[in-house]
Amino acid sequence: MKGETLTRADLAEGVHTEVGLTRQDCAGLVERTLELVCEALEQGEIVKLSGFGVFQVRAKRARMGRNPKTGEPAAIDPRRVISFRASQVMKAKVDRAQAQAGRH
Amino acid sequence: MIKSELIAKLAIENPHLTQKDIERVVGVILDRMTAALVTGGRVELRGFGAFSVRARPARAGRNPRTGESVDVRAKAVPFFKSGKELRARLNLDGDSA
């Protein structure tokens, strides 16, 4: 699949070019944005970013699994995982672009 | 937390910036991430997680109301995998993260 990998640095640079704040402010704002989302999720909050998607924490029960390497049964502890559901807008954009590129 | 609440928190932390600017900042962050996925790229944010595009093959689905079989075409869907650090933060009590 073609396409570049976007990082924090790219986001900060993009914000700097488009909004025109200092590079230092932009880097800090990218960092704080991600951190505030993490903090909300830690609190068990749903994070809803309209047009983008929804992050939600889900509790998984304990279950028996297997070590895929050895095939031995192994207990999996209860844990909290994050589910992300992309918005309809994002889903449509991604699917349309990939279809036009003939990638599926 | 919704987008406007995120913007309000960032505004409180950055009294030297206008609310308008912060709204634009959050908009650009989300737009750039979406744009990367639209071009078939990835978004990799250490500690937070990574977004990528996954291909879903065509399948035979069913109309849940009538039970009729319908062809569902292949699709590309956005996918998020949470980062190690975030997973660990959600499971501080256990060692399963």
Side-chain angles (χ1 to χ4, degrees):
Chain A
M1 185 159 275
K2 76 146 207 180
E4 314 269 291
T5 297
L6 192 80
T7 62
R8 275 181 173 71
D10 299 321
L11 286 176
E13 194 56 32
V15 171
H16 172 68
T17 351
E18 285 192 49
V19 188
L21 306 175
T22 67
R23 284 204 165 79
Q24 194 182 341
D25 270 340
C26 295
L29 284 163
V30 168
E31 198 53 49
R32 287 304 296 158
T33 298
L34 296 174
E35 179 55 27
L36 287 167
V37 172
C38 287
E39 282 172 16
L41 291 169
E42 264 185 292
Q43 303 299 315
E45 273 183 65
I46 293 173
V47 177
K48 217 178 263 187
L49 303 171
S50 68
F52 188 77
V54 179
F55 296 90
Q56 189 169 4
V57 178
R58 291 176 169 277
K60 295 281 196 183
R61 279 184 317 223
R63 64 182 169 91
M64 287 307 289
R66 272 179 196 287
N67 180 330
K69 227 175 266 178
T70 64
E72 262 168 69
I76 299 177
D77 291 331
R79 66 203 197 285
R80 295 203 297 164
V81 299
I82 293 191
S83 82
F84 171 71
R85 281 183 45 209
S87 71
Q88 292 304 322
V89 180
M90 198 217 269
K91 277 191 197 166
K93 276 188 193 166
V94 166
D95 188 53
R96 201 180 318 122
Q98 296 296 303
Q100 276 168 4
R103 257 177 250 129
H104 66 237
Chain B
M1 179 170 75
I2 62 173
K3 205 193 285 179
S4 57
E5 293 167 334
L6 170 65
I7 290 164
K9 286 183 187 179
L10 289 168
I12 291 169
E13 293 181 359
N14 294 276
H16 63 299
L17 302 176
T18 66
Q19 170 114 0
K20 195 111 224 119
D21 276 344
I22 292 177
E23 276 168 26
R24 289 173 65 205
V25 167
V26 172
V28 171
I29 292 173
L30 298 178
D31 285 351
R32 292 264 169 153
M33 294 191 350
T34 305
L37 295 172
V38 165
T39 59
R42 288 169 56 79
V43 181
E44 235 174 77
L45 304 165
R46 290 284 147 81
F48 183 79
F51 296 87
S52 57
V53 177
R54 294 205 165 176
R56 296 263 180 269
R59 62 187 170 85
R62 292 212 170 266
N63 179 329
R65 204 187 303 226
T66 64
E68 246 172 286
S69 177
V70 286
D71 291 332
V72 180
R73 63 176 181 76
K75 281 188 186 135
V77 296
F79 177 81
F80 175 71
K81 184 175 193 297
S82 56
K84 259 187 214 161
E85 196 190 307
L86 178 54
R87 277 206 299 277
R89 284 171 64 177
L90 291 173
N91 295 281
L92 288 180
D93 41 346
D95 56 1
S96 54

